[in-house]
Amino acid sequence: MIIGDMQRKCGFGLKKVMDAIEAHGGTTLLATGITGDDARLALAAVQAGARLLEPNHPAVALARGHKGVKSMHNAEAIRHEIPFEEMCKVVAGVRAVVGPEIYITVGAPGTFTETMPMPFTDEHAYALASAGADGVHCHKSTYADLKDMVDLCHKYGMLVDAYVAHPSDRHLFGIPAETPAQVAETAKKMQDLGADLIGLMTGMSYEGVAAGEIAKPVRERLEAMLKVVTVPTLAEGGINAVNFKAFRGTGVNILVVGTAFDDIARKAVADTVGVFLQR
């Protein structure tokens, strides 16, 4: 194992994350969805100030219309069918247009809790790193799986962002923990296993959450996580251009936003088409 090179690459990735957090006053953005899988929109996000991007396989399944899926919810069930090589191409394309200073974390078959068990091997980790990934977006739901991901990703110089989920979530996007005390215990153990960034699934809604405040149960879970971890923190799920303000000042470092961008892009296209076709 080439330990020095591995640690050096991880260090570069972490510096990108920390610089973005500092540049944006303690809370920055991880742009995903259409801004992660389409290089044109990834570049637009970066030109507007985003410094963290996340291509992922469910978004690619939706973008490619795989098996006719039209919603992210339906894409989640078949995301594992996207060829791993396709995700490497997506990462390489985004990297080519946004340049080396932007942090890219990627979700790929095998890095999530899949409906069909998928391998994630040395070859997969090396391929993502070679394509330009700084990190892996990990939604594994057991400690053992998370530990395997951390070991493999670190071996090839990639960071791991991992998540605490709720047992009742529509899709299992992390290690489940119900009460705030369980969230704290889970987050602490994830950090002990080597996760470089730790996030909380705030209640996934593919339509977004319109309310301008964080629901009390979510806030309590978020506060429990923030109290026990020292690595950069994330919040993901239903965050949009209205309710994101409620997360500022909480101490969370990174807001993961994807569906909100997808919704805005769809509306912009529909509105513009309407302009061209009006009589």
Side-chain angles (χ1 to χ4, degrees):
M1 183 184 299
I2 311 300
I3 295 176
D5 290 355
M6 169 191 79
Q7 293 175 336
R8 187 167 180 265
K9 187 175 185 303
C10 282
F12 287 150
L14 184 58
K15 186 176 187 304
K16 294 181 189 181
V17 172
M18 300 306 293
D19 286 350
I21 293 169
E22 181 180 1
H24 297 139
T27 303
T28 191
L29 167 73
L30 174 58
T32 183
I34 198 168
T35 59
D37 63 61
D38 188 305
R40 297 165 296 182
L41 295 179
L43 180 59
V46 166
Q47 289 174 335
R51 296 169 69 165
L52 314 178
L53 299 173
E54 181 217 321
N56 63 61
H57 51 316
V60 170
L62 186 59
R64 303 294 186 270
H66 183 59
K67 291 190 173 177
V69 294
K70 299 177 182 178
S71 72
M72 186 62 85
H73 167 61
N74 291 331
E76 297 294 357
I78 57 173
R79 64 193 180 211
H80 62 279
E81 297 179 5
I82 297 300
F84 194 90
E85 296 75 17
E86 179 70 12
M87 291 311 306
C88 292
K89 291 179 182 177
V90 170
V91 173
V94 171
R95 174 60 75 201
V97 300
V98 303
E101 300 305 316
I102 301 303
Y103 182 84
I104 298 177
T105 181
V106 57
T111 76
F112 286 21
T113 299
E114 309 289 8
T115 56
M116 173 65 71
M118 300 295 294
F120 188 80
T121 65
D122 281 77
E123 289 74 18
H124 292 121
Y126 178 72
L128 286 180
S130 297
D134 299 295
V136 166
H137 189 68
C138 177
H139 282 309
K140 290 299 190 183
S141 56
T142 70
Y143 294 119
D145 285 350
L146 175 58
K147 182 64 167 62
D148 285 347
M149 290 295 302
V150 167
D151 289 347
L152 274 172
C153 293
H154 284 181
K155 184 176 179 181
Y156 294 97
M158 294 184 293
L159 306 182
V160 173
D161 51 289
Y163 297 80
V164 181
H166 192 284
S168 65
D169 286 347
R170 191 177 192 182
H171 300 281
L172 193 54
F173 283 123
I175 297 176
E178 186 168 3
T179 67
Q182 291 170 340
V183 169
E185 179 183 359
T186 301
K188 180 63 167 60
K189 187 164 184 179
M190 290 165 69
Q191 179 171 289
D192 291 343
L193 289 175
D196 303 283
L197 301 89
I198 296 176
L200 180 75
M201 299 306 299
T202 58
M204 181 59 71
S205 169
Y206 293 113
E207 291 73 39
V209 178
E213 295 296 330
I214 305 173
K216 183 180 178 182
V218 175
R219 183 177 290 276
E220 291 174 347
R221 288 163 55 79
L222 187 63
E223 289 172 349
M225 179 187 75
L226 294 172
K227 286 179 181 177
V228 299
V229 300
T230 57
V231 297
T233 54
L234 311 94
E236 177 178 356
I239 300 173
N240 59 36
V242 175
N243 62 28
F244 82 96
K245 295 178 182 178
F247 289 88
R248 293 198 176 277
T250 61
V252 69
N253 301 126
I254 302 166
L255 303 182
V256 184
V257 180
T259 301
F261 290 130
D262 293 354
D263 291 344
I264 291 167
R266 278 193 295 266
K267 186 176 187 307
V269 170
D271 290 348
T272 305
V273 168
V275 169
F276 281 108
L277 297 181
Q278 64 183 340
R279 296 183 180 182

